Amino acid sequence: VARVDDDNTSGDSRISNNIARTSVFHFDRSCYDSLDPNDSFESARVLSLQNGRYTHSSLTVCQGNPDYYAFDVSHGQSLDISVANAGTGDFDIVLMDAVGNEIASSRTGAATETIHRDVIVGDQRLYLYIYQVENTYNSNESEYTLTIETSPASEWNRCEPEFEPNNFKTSAYDLMEVARSGMTAQLC
C-alpha cells in the first residue's frame, strides 16, 4: 500500500518503506467473454433456460481456447441450438451427453452452425462444445451469439423413457433385464 500526500508526492523517504515485491504473473485477456472460464468439459458454464429458451450475444471463441456449456433438458422436448457468427472466422459445434459422447454436431463453413433434435428422451444434462477451426486461413477468434430453445416434441415422435438414455455402450441396458421386465422397448 502506498500513500501519497495531497500534492501527489510521497511524504515517506525511507527506501525500505517503499518497496513491494511480488512474483511475476500473467493475465491473458485476449480471448475472454462474460461466461469465461469455460474452457473444458469439467468447467462447462451451466446455463439456465427460461421458458425453454436461452440466448446470449457477444461471446468469443478462439483457436486453442474452446467454450463448453451445460444445460438441462426434459423428456419429450425437441431441441434447437444456433450459434451465429457475428463477424469473421469459422467455428464448429458439438452436442454431447453427460459423459462426453457426441450426440450431434454441425461442422460447416457457414456463418451459423445449428443442431436440431426431434425429441429428447429422458431428463438429462447436455453439453455444448464450441471450438474455433484451426487453420492458416481462419481468424484466431470469432464473436458469436448462442441460442438454445426447447419446445414440446411432436406427439408422434415421443418415446417412453423406461430404458433411456441408452445410446452408447457405456449406458446400454441388459436385454435380458428388458425382457424380464415385461415392457416393450422402443427404438427412438
Side-chain angles (χ1 to χ4, degrees):
V1 175
R3 182 170 181 248
V4 176
D5 295 333
D6 291 339
D7 62 354
N8 288 328
T9 61
S10 174
D12 189 351
S13 60
R14 292 175 294 160
I15 294 174
S16 64
N17 217 20
N18 293 316
I19 296 174
R21 298 187 195 277
T22 183
S23 59
V24 176
F25 64 93
H26 175 72
F27 181 69
D28 183 6
R29 298 183 334 172
S30 61
C31 188
Y32 184 82
D33 60 42
S34 61
L35 298 183
D36 275 318
N38 62 340
D39 304 330
S40 69
F41 188 85
E42 294 75 24
S43 67
R45 172 66 65 153
V46 178
L47 306 177
S48 178
L49 279 64
Q50 301 297 321
N51 298 318
R53 182 176 171 83
Y54 178 87
T55 190
H56 198 293
S57 59
S58 300
L59 297 170
T60 304
V61 64
C62 300
Q63 290 187 22
N65 189 354
D67 289 342
Y68 287 82
Y69 302 100
F71 55 96
D72 297 322
V73 291
S74 300
H75 172 72
Q77 298 288 305
S78 68
L79 173 66
D80 287 290
I81 299 171
S82 170
V83 182
N85 194 334
T88 61
D90 180 23
F91 54 82
D92 293 328
I93 62 175
V94 178
L95 182 65
M96 299 179 289
D97 67 11
V99 294
N101 295 311
E102 183 176 318
I103 297 171
S105 65
S106 180
R107 294 179 174 102
T108 71
T112 301
E113 301 286 350
T114 60
I115 292 176
H116 172 78
R117 305 303 294 170
D118 288 331
V119 65
I120 300 298
V121 180
D123 295 346
Q124 54 189 303
R125 175 159 285 178
L126 297 177
Y127 291 79
L128 182 64
Y129 167 50
I130 303 174
Y131 64 96
Q132 185 77 2
V133 175
E134 294 190 32
N135 66 51
T136 56
Y137 303 106
N138 198 8
S139 66
N140 287 330
E141 68 181 57
S142 293
E143 185 177 312
Y144 64 92
T145 297
L146 169 63
T147 304
I148 302 171
E149 294 181 287
T150 61
S151 59
S154 300
E155 199 60 44
W156 60 268
N157 207 14
R158 295 187 189 171
C159 287
E160 295 305 316
E162 284 89 9
F163 302 106
E164 290 289 343
N166 65 353
N167 300 338
F168 304 97
K169 281 173 78 172
T170 56
S171 60
Y173 278 85
D174 182 346
L175 284 177
M176 293 305 293
E177 181 184 325
V178 174
R180 283 191 293 272
S181 73
M183 293 188 222
T184 302
Q186 293 176 296
L187 179 61
C188 300

